[in-house]
Amino acid sequence: MVLAAGGGRRYGGPKALVRHEDGRLLVERAVATLRDGGCTRIWVVLGAEAGRVRDEAQLGDAHLLENPAWKSGMGSSLRVGLAALAETDAEAAAVLLVDTPGIGPDAVARLLAAAPPGPGALLTATYKGKRGHPVILGRGHWAGVSTLATADVGARAYLVAHAGDVQGVPCEDIADDTDLDVPPVD
């Protein structure tokens, strides 16, 4: 699942529509990262300028969801995505933020390889011991994550509350989870 609903106020517009240095939109890059990393079904949660993203982005067979409450923060987008996934037979979801282009398919593949099968999976990539993205949330955690996902917190509160159950997977050797907050200065 790609969370791509934000308005990107500090960036000057929705990050989903920002062109990365490779020429692709960030949302296209995030979808490709999950797909190339081994995810079989991709869900993208849109919000700000959702119509434009639908028109301009080449997302293949990704399922596009719209978060009407996107202005309330990432937590609402995560809830929208998990609610949609609950209607499927998916046992787990890999979650990636649209504004983390330093995370590539290798990090996703590493987490998927480390994930125990079934609905109990709860993993995060780690960078020098700190939790980051991507995150894998097993179905058994979706209700709890949704309950605690508010404002811009996302799954953080749930992961902190269940720290003993979270499996960290070191990824600093293959990825950089720095998010893009402001446009680069030329």
Side-chain angles (χ1 to χ4, degrees), residues 33-177:
T33 293
L34 289 177
R35 185 174 288 118
D36 295 347
C39 295
T40 55
R41 292 179 285 183
I42 314 295
W43 298 79
V44 181
V45 182
L46 303 174
E49 298 194 47
R52 233 181 105 203
V53 176
R54 287 177 189 273
D55 290 343
E56 295 180 24
Q58 303 298 311
L59 301 176
D61 62 354
H63 302 273
L64 305 181
L65 305 168
E66 196 160 334
N67 175 11
W70 64 267
K71 288 181 182 178
S72 68
M74 178 183 19
S76 65
S77 292
L78 184 56
R79 289 193 310 272
V80 165
L82 292 175
L85 284 174
E87 300 297 320
T88 72
D89 62 352
E91 290 193 354
V95 181
L96 183 64
L97 305 179
V98 75
D99 63 353
T100 54
I103 298 173
D106 291 344
V108 175
R110 185 175 284 178
L111 260 72
L112 291 176
L122 191 60
L123 297 89
T124 67
T126 61
Y127 300 88
K128 297 181 181 170
K130 297 178 90 174
R131 280 192 216 110
H133 285 88
V135 175
I136 295 182
L137 304 170
R139 180 183 279 277
H141 300 283
W142 295 351
V145 169
S146 293
T147 298
L148 296 179
T150 58
D152 279 325
V153 174
R156 187 180 321 130
Y158 186 85
L159 295 171
V160 168
H162 295 84
D165 299 324
V166 178
Q167 179 182 346
V169 179
C171 289
E172 63 270 359
D173 62 319
I174 56 172
D176 177 359
D177 81 330

